[in-house]
Amino acid sequence: MRRPLLASSALFHALRLASLASIVLAVPRASAAQDLPTLSGSWTASALTEQWSVAAWGQACGPRPRPQGAPGGAVQIQQHGSELSISGAGRSWSTAECWEQMPGLARSKHSASGNARSWQTRCTTPASDPRRAVVTTTTQATDASINMVETGQYQFIIQDTTCSASVTRTRTYTLVRREGEAPPAASAPPVASAPPPVASAAPAAAEKKPAASRTCDAPGEPARLEVTPSRKLMRPGERFQFRALVMDAEGCALPTRPTWSIAPGPLASAATVDATGALSLGAGAGEGALGLVASVAGKGVTVAIEVTSPDRYDALLATSGLNEAGESEQAAVVVIAAGTIGGRTTSGEDLGRQRKNLFVAIVGGVAACLGFAGLILLRRGRRRTGGEVEDPASMAGAAGEHDSAGAEGTPAPAEASLAGVAGPAAAPVRPTLRARGKICPTCGDRYPSEAMFCGKDGTQLLLLN
């Protein structure tokens, strides 16, 4: 009887030791999870890459899917419990959602690790939606890097044609400076003065790698605003997240968020937009055009939105030139402020003012030239009018002088020719000139009494005594 008792006692002690060991091992794991550094801080995002694989795509499906991607840039990451929110590099995103923003796509499953280092989100379209889509977004993080991989399966039928394709999207985030840490540039000078052992060379080079992207860590003033997409086809009741990117003159992404508003129009009352650029259409919205305005520093850009009924959506999508998601592949762009390119500073406002001044100067010069030409023509007209008066007057004066026995010594041939030119029109004036005439005090020429000014120099005539 002693052997069974001893065996049971030994088994009991072994179980106690195993439980104590598991508790001892679990405590360091829990404390290690709590001691993980925060992921909040400044990061850089690589360019988003897309790889499409088309299984079946007929002519009725519309344009074939093509890689779109998104540019990289500086981003800000905030850790809220076990989730991350990321803003910058073209849009805002969270580990609790899918990257894909297909209309009608909704989250169906989500999981996150307790140490904020692993996430997975599954999004699907409703069962009533003829467009079948399943998207899975997986995000893995270390203390200094975050990797996002998203896979999507799309399948729908249009006009008895099956359209099927899959996509893989990837993006990597690299830590620049953790929240609460001092900038690494302050510790750079001691490294230069330290002895040159080979072992310390590698860490010094690693610290300089983020400095290359620090051109975007301290960006300048906003200079350019891009909104993607520039055109969007939507149905009543849908919600779509527009993506805005604000950059400085060097092309560095800024955390600045634009102000969103609905442009006035017939459908303005049926749409709402939040501070992130998410546009929602009411279920009772009619068909027509809608404008969404994004503005920064007083400069705005308008995105064109076409609202159509579900019955006409597929037909309109096939002829609109948009991709399968109803989006254009172009971005709406507006220049916000001056930019420095090639060492020369340009400003849209100053350029417009220069053009205005140049236009005013040209118009003023043309007006002055026209005025001067009109003055010359007016003076010539006056001279011609004076010449017409001068001829008969001088003829009549010469005839009067000839009849008074040539007191002034006018040659007979000239007198005869003038009298012949004057003709009968001068004959009625002769009795008046014989009675009383006028003389020019400057040149001495004589004129009939009705003449007022000299035909040669314009001097006012005087009456003869």
Side-chain angles (χ1 to χ4, degrees), residues 117-273:
R117 292 297 185 268
S118 179
W119 304 265
Q120 188 174 73
T121 305
R122 179 184 172 89
C123 301
T124 58
T125 53
S128 59
D129 197 328
R131 302 166 303 164
R132 182 60 179 170
V134 178
V135 178
T136 303
T137 307
T138 304
T139 307
Q140 300 288 339
T142 64
D143 294 346
S145 66
I146 301 174
N147 186 37
M148 185 272 288
V149 178
E150 182 177 85
T151 59
Q153 299 287 337
Y154 307 88
Q155 184 175 358
F156 53 95
I157 299 176
I158 298 178
Q159 300 177 2
D160 298 331
T161 302
T162 301
C163 311
S164 178
S166 60
V167 66
T168 300
R169 302 181 179 93
T170 58
R171 167 170 275 183
T172 302
Y173 300 89
T174 305
L175 178 65
V176 176
R177 186 171 66 248
R178 201 180 309 277
E179 187 178 77
E181 292 183 355
S187 60
V191 174
S193 59
V198 178
S200 63
E207 291 180 358
K208 292 182 180 179
K209 287 183 180 180
S213 61
R214 238 186 344 256
T215 54
C216 294
D217 190 28
E221 296 295 327
R224 181 183 176 92
L225 170 62
E226 293 185 1
V227 179
T228 307
S230 61
R231 293 173 55 208
K232 174 62 180 171
L233 183 63
M234 299 183 66
R235 289 165 289 198
E238 288 186 341
R239 182 178 184 271
F240 182 76
Q241 176 71 53
F242 285 87
R243 303 175 291 276
L245 175 62
V246 182
M247 297 179 290
D248 62 6
E250 300 296 331
C252 297
L254 303 177
T256 304
R257 290 190 177 183
T259 302
W260 300 89
S261 61
I262 304 296
L267 300 181
S269 59
T272 58
V273 62

Side-chain angles (χ1 to χ4, degrees), residues 396-397 399-400 403 424-437 447-450:
D403 292 341
V429 185
R430 288 179 183 177
T432 305
L433 291 173
R434 290 171 185 166
R436 193 173 187 183
Y447 295 87
S449 59
E450 62 268 17

Side-chain angles (χ1 to χ4, degrees), residues 47 127 129 133 139 148 152 200 211 218 265 279 284 289 298 303 314 322 352 358 381 405 413 444:
D129 197 328
T139 307
M148 185 272 288
S200 63
L279 177 70
V303 177
D314 294 335
L322 305 176
L358 179 61

Side-chain angles (χ1 to χ4, degrees), residues 24-46:
V24 171
L25 293 175
V27 170
R29 290 180 182 178
S31 61
Q34 295 176 356
D35 293 340
L36 289 175
T38 179
L39 297 181
S40 300
S42 300
W43 296 66
T44 56
S46 66

Side-chain angles (χ1 to χ4, degrees), residues 395 417-428 430:
M395 295 172 192
S417 62
L418 291 174
V421 174
R430 288 179 183 177

